[in-house]
Amino acid sequence: MDDCIIIGAGPAGLTAAIYLARFHLSIRLFDSGSSRAALIPRTHNHAGYPGGIVGTDLLARMLTQAREFGAVREAAEVTAIVPRDEGFVVCVGDREYPARTVLLATGVVNLRPKGMDDEMHDEALRRGLLRYCPICDGYEVTDTRVAVIGTSDHGTREALFLRGFTRDLTLISPDSAHDLASECLADLDAAGIVRTDGPCGSYAIRGDRLCVETADGPMEFDSVYPALGSTIRSRLAIAAGAKATEDGCLEVDAHQRTSIPGLFAAGDVVKGLDQISNAMGQAGVAATTIRNALSEIRPLRR
């Protein structure tokens, strides 16, 4: 039986693997290969990397570090977590792995603009024409022409946040007419943010800009931010009985414990700031809590 099985090998999962392996615990790390961090063209707000670092390079460095202490990553998709009297059984297809504890670090998936094919999406993302995290890279769009695809409170909040970086900002409704409360309209007007109805689509890369077809015709932008929400990858924990918010984020305490004893969660799958630094901090807390909890059950070293 493993001391801990970690599900997800993004920044949270790999940080936890480093900690737990250095605590001399037996761990197993399953990775479906879809970490959102792998899509980052280059992050500039991760401390310790002047000039920034590509997301895949960061993950590769973290995995190498985890392997230095004996952590093993297996490319596989976990299909179920089953609570048992003395821990859990983690199912990977028809295989079953018993574990004393489980740490879920499965993250989220950004909802993409409708009608944008994978090839264009990846190319626009690589070139910074399409961006998903204004906290991460708002600095890079300073004083450029930016659009936010979204509406309602969520789209308004993202547009207002980006207004701190540029004056040339347009909020485009993803479908038809905007759905904006009077408070949102007042805030957008006060910030000088232009509004355009949808539907938006017929995306095209033209030179160094992304072209978007709107109800007002084609518009070109230096960067476009989809504010369309995300899918929380909490299904495994919820199916096992863990409590979650209405939008699917797992509820945890200050030590990253879910409502199921022995089941922990860290990173974007938990309600909070979706940032690498935050995910790594939560993973360190979870890993240390796991170590201390296991030490109460039995001595960890003889």
Side-chain angles (χ1 to χ4, degrees), residues 10-16 18-19 46-47 49 58 62 65 256 266-268 273 275-287:
L14 289 170
T15 298
I18 293 168
Y19 272 64
H46 193 299
Y49 292 97
L58 176 63
M62 295 180 73
Q65 186 173 349
Q256 304 305 129
D268 296 350
L273 186 66
Q275 291 287 287
I276 292 174
S277 57
N278 192 49
M280 293 171 68
Q282 290 179 349
V285 170

Side-chain angles (χ1 to χ4, degrees), residues 218-235:
M219 305 178 75
E220 294 185 356
F221 301 94
D222 297 301
S223 290
V224 174
Y225 283 83
L228 304 172
S230 57
T231 300
I232 317 298
R233 290 172 166 165
S234 54
R235 175 185 57 82

Side-chain angles (χ1 to χ4, degrees), residues 10-68:
L14 289 170
T15 298
I18 293 168
Y19 272 64
L20 291 168
R22 287 174 52 82
F23 289 149
H24 295 295
L25 297 179
S26 61
I27 63 172
R28 196 179 298 269
L29 176 65
F30 289 115
D31 178 23
S32 66
S34 55
S35 170
R36 188 164 60 152
L39 301 175
I40 300 174
R42 182 172 296 272
T43 177
H44 292 273
N45 70 339
H46 193 299
Y49 292 97
I53 183 169
V54 177
T56 51
D57 291 345
L58 176 63
L59 293 174
R61 286 177 179 233
M62 295 180 73
L63 179 57
T64 297
Q65 186 173 349
R67 284 173 171 163
E68 287 179 356

